Amino acid sequence: MTGNKAVAYKEPGKVEVIDVDYPTFELKDGPGVNPANVGRAVNHGVILKTVATNICGSDQHMVRGRTTAPPDLVLGHEITGEVVEVGRDVEFIKVGDICSVPFNIACGRCRNCKERKTGICLNVNPDRPGSAYGYVDMGGWVGGQANYVLVPYADWNLLKFPDRDQALEKMLDLTMLSDIFPTGFHGAVTAGVGVGSTVYVAGAGPVGLAAATSAHLLGAAVVIVGDMNADRLAQAKSFGCETVDLSKGGPAEQIEQILGVPEVDCGVDAVGFEARGHGSNASEAPATVLNSLMEITSAGGALGIPGLYVTGDPGGIDEAAKKGALSLSLGTGWAKSLSFTTGQCPVMKYNRGLMMAILHDKVHIAKNVNAKAIALEDAPKGYAEFDAGAATKYVLNPNGYLS
């Protein structure tokens, strides 16, 4: 039997690389697996040998203890891999194909999938619409920060790269197709970004930088990124963004210094539920980003909200926040006729087009998010550095495909 190691959540602030079972074409019981999914046959799936699998800010929420994730949950929803086994019912994907895996698992059969709403598939999670690999309350599909991982509904879910050598050469860019690039793009699209737009992106982490990259790709005139982390703001500047240092106060006045007016056409929330207030000594204030975006987005504009919000947060600052209830100034949004789009990005809506942009050198997302490949055994260090604010997108290299 082939060995398999994986990155697992142990307790708040701690991950470990552990030995786990090699995948089979059946969903087994284990940490975080929904009981109704135990024993589920996956003859429509494939087993991937992982080429690249990334540490995500959404993983970091769990590792900080800000969700109900159980110990030994195998992490990892940003997966790219080489097919090494195919299930009985797989027709088009073949052994040897190198493929990107959308982080949201979708059946391809339900009403939502047929309407391209693959982030809220109705058939893969018994508890609620929508699922993902290696994530709490998402059905229990085992994560891909591992040597090998099972991918269900393979003919539907997998995006096959057209040329193996080209894919491996551009892997640090292509690995971003599993989540952050489509997610950032979705944030920009749903915020209404187009040719000539002025855009404010809250958050200079990898998703925020991906949203800023996407805004440029969509033709924005000015892209402004706000954060408190000087290194991450410098990363945004490195590919042509204007920046706002939120440790110096709210964004409106600094936006006015850039644009001449204290508002933008389009706003993107790439922060989520662990948001802090503004100013040098700001504490956690989870509604800050959404309320400030409503204030600075022009009337009739839109907010794209790819930042993660949860229904259960043990570390929330008050009882309301622990249930995902925030003090939003909805009246501001109503008065200004603002539109809001939230939820998981439907990755399959965008990933092929973004793949083509990468393969034809129209965008260099790995450079913009400062991607860095590290060994699987270095994952705990990568998590710690990312949590400390490193302006880096850590890409795990479990099987040595990456230089």
Side-chain angles (χ1 to χ4, degrees):
M1 177 65 71
T2 304
N4 194 19
K5 292 186 179 295
V7 181
Y9 168 73
K10 301 299 286 188
E11 61 185 35
K14 184 178 181 180
V15 300
E16 286 184 2
V17 178
I18 65 173
D19 291 306
V20 296
D21 291 338
Y22 183 84
T24 65
F25 294 106
E26 179 183 308
L27 193 55
K28 303 290 182 62
D29 196 9
V33 179
N34 189 299
N37 261 351
V38 174
R40 184 170 181 160
V42 192
N43 296 316
H44 43 67
V46 300
I47 295 171
L48 296 183
K49 185 177 183 180
T50 306
V51 173
T53 177
N54 315 327
I55 296 175
C56 179
S58 298
D59 298 320
Q60 204 65 265
H61 293 306
M62 288 190 290
V63 173
R64 292 187 189 118
R66 297 298 297 267
T67 70
T68 56
D72 289 325
L73 180 76
V74 173
L75 301 169
H77 56 271
E78 299 190 8
I79 308 163
T80 308
E82 179 176 8
V83 178
V84 292
E85 292 186 49
V86 298
R88 181 193 66 203
D89 298 335
V90 176
E91 185 174 0
F92 303 110
I93 295 294
K94 307 298 182 185
V95 169
D97 290 345
I98 295 183
C99 305
S100 178
V101 184
F103 79 90
N104 26 41
I105 303 165
C107 72
R109 296 151 166 80
C110 71
R111 171 182 173 176
N112 285 350
C113 284
K114 290 178 180 179
E115 294 176 356
R116 303 185 77 189
K117 301 173 184 175
T118 53
I120 44 174
C121 173
L122 300 174
N123 288 331
V124 288
N125 183 356
D127 280 344
R128 64 178 74 173
S131 188
Y133 303 88
Y135 214 87
V136 60
D137 297 331
M138 287 291 185
W141 300 91
V142 178
Q145 288 177 11
N147 296 112
Y148 298 91
V149 62
L150 172 68
V151 172
Y153 302 103
D155 283 327
W156 169 249
N157 280 300
L158 292 177
L159 174 67
K160 177 185 171 181
F161 299 133
D163 182 88
R164 177 189 178 87
D165 291 340
Q166 183 188 35
L168 291 174
E169 178 185 349
K170 293 180 177 291
M171 186 50 61
L172 280 182
D173 291 290
L174 294 171
T175 188
M176 305 305 164
L177 293 172
S178 57
D179 182 356
I180 67 162
F181 197 9
T183 292
F185 195 83
H186 181 61
V189 167
T190 55
V193 177
V195 175
S197 298
T198 57
V199 184
Y200 177 71
V201 178
V207 170
L209 296 175
T213 299
S214 300
H216 282 141
L217 194 60
L218 290 163
V222 183
V223 180
I224 305 168
V225 179
D227 205 294
M228 297 182 180
N229 182 313
D231 291 339
R232 290 181 174 182
L233 290 175
Q235 187 64 31
K237 285 183 179 179
S238 75
F239 60 94
C241 299
E242 301 287 343
T243 59
V244 164
D245 184 352
L246 297 172
S247 70
K248 298 178 179 178
E253 183 177 336
Q254 296 179 69
I255 288 172
E256 186 171 16
Q257 292 172 359
I258 296 167
L259 297 176
V261 293
E263 64 180 19
V264 293
D265 301 322
C266 314
V268 179
D269 173 5
V271 179
F273 73 102
E274 288 191 68
R276 294 162 59 193
H278 300 140
S280 58
N281 297 312
S283 58
E284 187 168 318
T288 299
V289 172
L290 293 172
N291 286 333
S292 65
L293 282 173
M294 285 189 278
E295 291 173 4
I296 64 173
T297 302
S298 60
L303 308 185
I305 309 174
L308 174 66
Y309 289 87
V310 295
T311 56
D313 173 11
I317 60 171
D318 54 35
E319 290 305 312
K322 289 177 181 178
K323 297 182 289 186
L326 309 181
S327 297
L328 294 180
S329 179
L330 191 58
T332 300
W334 191 93
K336 296 176 74 174
S337 294
L338 299 176
S339 301
F340 303 76
T341 301
T342 65
Q344 289 187 35
C345 163
V347 170
M348 294 174 68
K349 189 173 183 179
Y350 307 109
N351 62 353
R352 185 186 179 278
L354 295 175
M355 176 189 74
M356 295 299 289
I358 289 169
L359 294 179
H360 294 278
D361 295 317
K362 299 301 182 185
V363 65
H364 301 283
I365 184 65
K367 176 177 178 291
N368 290 4
V369 301
N370 193 27
K372 178 182 178 182
I374 62 174
L376 186 71
E377 55 265 28
D378 291 331
K381 181 181 178 183
Y383 269 97
E385 291 179 357
F386 187 43
D387 191 45
T392 305
K393 177 67 173 177
Y394 290 98
V395 177
L396 301 180
N397 181 25
N399 293 303
Y401 286 87
L402 308 177
S403 59

